[in-house]
Amino acid sequence: MFAAARQARAAGLDLIGVYHSHPATPPRMSQEDIRLANDSSVVYLIYSLAQEELKGFRVSRDKTVSETIVEVAAPAAST
């Protein structure tokens, strides 16, 4: 993840989200997820394979977790 963030910054891009999946558990921030959440400016997306559900979270600098709304939009039609 650190390498991807460095590459994005070097290319002048803003990192807006980080995602991973939980194969057998609900889409919630685990203690390990919270510990590793070092950027309070991004949305952390977790997809639960077991529940087929996506949730988004923000983690503040003091490690307070808050759920955020995630809206998945259909791709734009090509012409």
Side-chain angles (χ1 to χ4, degrees):
M1 186 174 119
F2 295 118
R6 278 193 298 274
Q7 289 174 345
R9 277 192 226 106
L13 301 172
D14 293 321
L15 186 65
I16 61 171
V18 177
Y19 75 93
H20 71 278
S21 63
H22 285 187
T25 59
R28 63 177 175 244
M29 295 289 287
S30 68
Q31 289 302 314
E32 183 72 358
D33 294 335
I34 296 166
R35 186 181 72 76
L36 293 172
N38 293 314
D39 189 342
S40 61
S41 69
V42 302
V43 174
Y44 293 90
L45 299 164
I46 301 175
Y47 182 74
S48 168
L49 297 168
Q51 296 182 344
E52 297 183 355
E53 183 178 14
L54 176 70
K55 288 190 176 182
F57 303 90
R58 291 199 177 268
V59 182
S60 68
R61 291 176 193 235
D62 69 356
K63 300 298 185 176
T64 301
V65 177
S66 58
E67 190 171 340
T68 188
I69 296 172
V70 175
E71 186 175 330
V72 179
S78 60
T79 56

